[in-house]
Amino acid sequence: MTEVAEQFTEEQSGEVARISHWIDGRRVEGTSGRSGPVYNPATGEQSGEVDFATPEEVDAAVQAAKRAFESWRAVSLSRRTELFFRIRELFHSHGDDLARLLTLEHGKVLSDAKGEIARGLEVIEFCCGIPELLKGSYSEQASTGIDVYSIRQPHGVVAGITPFNFPAMVPMWMWAPAIACGNTFVLKPSEKDPSASMLTAELLKEAGLPDGVFNVVHGDKVAVDAVLEHPEIAAVSFVGSTPIARYVYETGTKAGKRVQALGGAKNHMIVLPDADIEMAADAAVGAGYGSAGERCMAVSMLVAVGHAADDLVGAIQERLPKVKVGNGLEPDSEMGPLVTREHRDKVASYIEKGSEEGAKVLTDGRETAPDGNGFFLGVTLLDEVTPEMDVYKDEIFGPVLGITRVDTYEEAVRLVNENPYGNGVAIFTRDGGVARQFQFEVNAGMVGVNVPIPVPVAYYSFGGWKNSLFGDLHVYGPEGIQFYTQGKVVTSRWPDPATSKVDLGFPQTR
Ligand code: NAD
């Protein structure tokens, strides 16, 4: 076990660990005097205190990345491939340490934390094929004696700003392709669960990544603004809530950077009357309450069409008492706590609000939360939710599943298409024709057919539409490679004295 993993798995010690930056291949203690608490959400105890970076500290990370860039970009593709295979092996062998850190700081249950690492590893595996991914094209004899070819080159220093809900995987979506493409990287992870990034830094060093290629600066808005304004950061990837995504996109692009900013979501799952109701109920419970609903691809609204509604509600209600809520380190826990006390209280306030707005509270998570100081909330099911209600409109980001009843497929699709978010969506039906029509006309970036959480595999790209993404390119997969590189086209002729002559005209095809 590495030093970082050891430090954070001694959860009984009661000591508050200091979490510092990682610059130029080593830990660097912050000097700002500003910091933030990190909690174990299952116990409510503070486990860490994370340094918040000043603009000067962000600059130190950028300068380290800049120094590392020229030699890193020159490392051959075969050496980069070799390194990525080593990175893959190390993340595999330390997967349990990393998963434990996620459970200790985020709260998600251990099996879910392992799932997060597995999905992140897929992106690392995709990057093992970097020589294939960076192949250009070549046109021989585009003009007489002239060949034209395209290449893709890294930008230089690029940055990633990430949310609390996937503290290992979302950074992997960014640093893996960015570095594989030859860039150097500065990560500003969520200040709520920052330790996974430190273990990531140690593992990358152990794998042999040169110092300065991967750096971590912790912090809040001050650090984010320093990233967005830094003249030597060429591109920024962001994942987080919609208001901050919009801000990051607008500020970053104004400063001349390439930006992809993924925002929040309100994901619908439509259940048609011909659906397999048992399968749909299993899917709804898993996708609604898994990771305590703190997934950007979580299902938060069920749209039950026609007579599917009563059957579906009954089947879900049968399942809810069996969902085991508890400390994520306990092997039988299926749902852990929320990330902070404030977030738990905010999510709980939506149950009250929903009831005031006229929704029927079929199951109230406030009544079933485990005792103790942990940030727990049980599962909540709201029926008869309508689109004007705040519980429908807002991204609650907790274990609160709403049901809207509609009469027709058309009404269901209209609800999805009129929603300002467009991240994931799912339809449950046995009718292939309807499913095909649905994927054709629905306005969302990721569509599931009898699949509730359609997170694309690593060789496709991840991203939503509308207020769920600001920017042109999705993350990871082919679009990730495109994001982290810029195209160059070379037009070349070798000297041939027989055809050489002075020509002041505009170059023409000959
Ligand atoms: P958040 O927007 O609060 O924070 C994301 C990042 O922005 C963090 O690093 C944080 O430090 C920084 N930040 C926060 N406030 C800021 C401010 N005022 N100015 C500048 N930077 C600021 O998001 P979160 O609560 O950490 O994560 C949950 C959100 O992320 C949800 O809305 C969820 O849907 C979204 N999310 C989206 C995706 C996706 O792929 N679309 C994936 C995961 C999470």
Side-chain angles (χ1 to χ4, degrees), residues 162-165 238-248 261-265 346 395 397 421 467-468 470:
T162 53
F164 79 82
N165 66 328
F238 172 90
V239 174
S241 60
T242 288
I244 313 296
R246 185 184 275 118
Y247 168 77
V248 166
L262 282 74
K346 186 174 167 208
E395 181 185 38
F397 220 56
Y421 296 107
N467 284 350
S468 297
F470 302 89

Side-chain angles (χ1 to χ4, degrees), residues 469-493:
L469 173 75
F470 302 89
D472 309 307
L473 293 170
H474 292 190
V475 286
Y476 70 73
E479 294 189 42
I481 300 299
Q482 212 182 325
F483 182 80
Y484 289 120
T485 52
Q486 43 195 342
K488 191 180 264 182
V489 176
V490 181
T491 303
S492 106
R493 171 165 61 191

Side-chain angles (χ1 to χ4, degrees), residues 262-286:
L262 282 74
K266 190 81 190 181
N267 304 311
H268 295 62
M269 173 175 146
I270 297 175
V271 182
L272 297 186
D274 72 343
D276 181 326
I277 293 294
E278 297 301 314
M279 180 189 182
D282 284 337
V285 172

Side-chain angles (χ1 to χ4, degrees), residues 90-100 113-114 117 121 203:
L90 273 174
F91 275 82
H92 246 294
S93 56
H94 288 272
D96 287 353
D97 302 341
L98 200 47
R100 212 172 150 78
K114 288 180 184 169
I117 312 268
L121 262 165
L203 294 178

Side-chain angles (χ1 to χ4, degrees), residues 19-51:
I19 304 156
S20 308
H21 313 301
W22 182 274
I23 298 174
D24 213 4
R26 62 188 185 89
R27 277 159 184 280
V28 176
E29 291 202 347
T31 55
S32 69
R34 292 174 65 244
S35 59
V38 178
Y39 294 98
N40 177 340
T43 62
E45 281 163 21
Q46 186 179 350
S47 59
E49 186 73 22
V50 59
D51 292 337

